[in-house]
Amino acid sequence: ALVTVAAADIGSVKVVRAPELAILSTGDELAEPGTARLDPRRIPESLSVGLAAMASDWGARAISRKRLGDDPVKLSEAAMQA
């Protein structure tokens, strides 16, 4: 990108730090991908993987991915720490 800026004869550019993203997945039924098949009550938690990849494609950085159960208190605590 900077090569293109220099080739356009632009001497300086304004830059900003990439946005950071904390992803919180909720649901007692969620399991780490690759382990859900061990328990018929579980499903793979896949959305955070896709969101992290999409964020990266758009220039953001997923700094954490946490899988949480359906406990509102723990969800609130995790959101406050994110």
Side-chain angles (χ1 to χ4, degrees):
L2 290 178
V3 171
T4 304
V5 171
D9 198 26
I10 298 172
S12 66
V13 293
K14 186 181 209 180
V15 297
V16 295
R17 187 175 71 167
E20 295 179 337
L21 173 68
I23 301 170
L24 306 175
S25 302
T26 62
D28 291 333
E29 72 281 7
L30 299 177
E32 193 65 28
T35 66
R37 68 179 66 88
L38 303 175
D39 185 340
R41 297 168 295 177
R42 310 278 260 176
I43 60 172
E45 191 289 298
S46 58
L47 289 179
S48 70
V49 176
L51 284 173
M54 187 171 66
S56 177
D57 287 347
W58 284 86
R61 190 170 70 98
I63 57 171
S64 69
R65 284 179 32 227
K66 292 185 181 178
R67 191 178 67 253
L68 305 164
D70 289 323
D71 183 332
V73 173
K74 288 183 181 178
L75 175 58
S76 179
E77 290 171 356
M80 294 297 280
Q81 292 174 1

